[in-house]
Amino acid sequence: MVSVSTRTPTSSGESGATSVAPAGGPAGGGVTGGPCRFCGAALRHTFVDLGMSPLCESYVEAAHENAAEAFYPLRVHVCEQCYLVQLQEYVTPEDIFTEYAYFSSYSDSWLAHCRDYVDMITDRLGLGGDSLVVELASNDGYLLQWFVHKGIPVLGIEPAVNVAKVAVDKGVRTLTEFFGTELADELAADGTQADLIVGNNVLAQVPDLNSFVGGMPTLLAPGGVVTIEFPHLQKLVDGNQFDTIYHEHFSYFSLVAAERIFSAHGLRIFDVDELWTHGGSLRIYACHAGNERLAESAALTDLRDREIAAGYTDIATYSVFEERARETKRKLLEFLIEAKRAGKTVVGYGAPGKGNTLLNYCGIRTDFLDFTVDRNPYKQGRFLPGTHIPIHAPEKIAEVEPDVILILPWNFKDEIIEQLAYTREWGAQFVVPIPEVTVY
Ligand SMILES: [Zn+2]
């Protein structure tokens, strides 16, 4: 279970950060977003306000189509002390993650990425039959299975009961728990020490960030390494990826914010890889603060310098993002209004979480999109949360022959346009909303 942490780290002594006086004044008439998840400072600056939205993974079953749905504010703040961009926790992780629709193994390119990582890190750290790899939020065993194939002992920690069961059935040893200082203490007391701790796309989803990161040094063997992947805030901003903001993602990290957080918990980031995944991610490498054998890499120094030069340690930098999201909304609606006035049929492709943020923020329902399609059978026959756009199997597109196809998972646009090449026969157009409305 998630333990409650009241630890308030100090903000002195970390690298890459400067102390900055608040600029621009509090946004939103002084409304605060509560205390910062990391440092406890009052949140006074809005990063972007996307209005009220339902939980993006709560696909509506046909039988519940007329029932009320819960909407929560999708208002993101940035902390003027530590620059952590964050969303308040409106729903508990137990609500979101104990029965989760997302199975990591559904994406082929993601699986290939994970397999490459396992080969790379096994060589780099010299892992073998005497090592232990622990993954936090190990999902359906999509990653740890590759270590198992190499004969390297593993332990997965995964709170979602339905996905953890799939992992166990594959032979991946898995504990059905939330990770934090409490679980780390228990495991360490039993003699569990990890040579490698992995966390892929989980850091953003942790409400009690201090307990989660704080548990890592306890579980980590002396000389061990932690690698964590998360979407990079700078890519979100530069790519105008406001639709990747949803209630399930509580925090959005720059390198400089991540360094403060890890440093406050006795860990030192010594290297970083910039990855293409999820619209642009970072993989950070960390070790115990006292481990002097692992020197800071040139890549780390370089990225930190670039973030500081781009203004990520200046609160004013964060105030420009909201207007870009609004302008994208106006442009997308303009395009759709014009298409509908011309009598065109418009449908969607995909039912990803990011599509739900986009459609709810823009107010796009069946008045603009007749339906969307998705390859995941779990979603077919259901409705998108909030907008109630029906989700069909991909074959529906050939049946209807729409004029315009709005691609919601824009990060896979090339793959999708290729798959749907046959729609060119009747002259279908593809539209991608992000980073800006573009017709293909
Ligand atoms: Zn803070």
Side-chain angles (χ1 to χ4, degrees), residues 136-157:
L136 312 179
S138 48
N139 202 273
D140 58 5
Y142 71 101
L143 178 90
L144 290 180
Q145 62 183 345
W146 306 120
F147 288 109
V148 171
H149 287 173
K150 288 176 185 286
I152 299 167
V154 301
L155 174 63
I157 298 173

Side-chain angles (χ1 to χ4, degrees), residues 36 38-41 79 81-84 86:
C36 169
F38 166 59
C39 78
C79 176
Q81 295 297 321
C82 71
Y83 309 107
L84 181 64
Q86 56 197 289

Side-chain angles (χ1 to χ4, degrees), residues 289-371:
N291 182 345
E292 285 168 6
R293 291 188 308 116
L294 297 163
E296 175 165 322
S297 72
L300 182 72
T301 314
D302 175 61
L303 178 59
R304 185 192 301 126
D305 289 349
R306 274 188 282 138
E307 281 194 355
I308 293 169
Y312 283 84
T313 51
D314 177 357
I315 195 75
T317 304
Y318 296 84
S319 62
V320 300
F321 187 67
E322 183 162 70
E323 181 50 29
R324 280 161 61 185
R326 289 179 180 170
E327 182 54 21
T328 302
K329 170 177 180 168
R330 292 190 282 259
K331 281 188 178 146
L332 180 59
L333 287 174
E334 229 163 41
F335 173 87
L336 291 172
I337 289 166
E338 213 171 288
K340 295 310 283 183
R341 280 220 179 99
K344 291 183 179 172
T345 314
V346 186
V347 306
Y349 187 93
K354 58 167 73 72
N356 291 325
T357 294
L358 179 86
L359 298 172
N360 277 292
Y361 173 58
C362 296
I364 296 167
R365 301 183 184 82
T366 50
D367 45 359
F368 286 115
L369 279 196
D370 294 351
F371 60 83

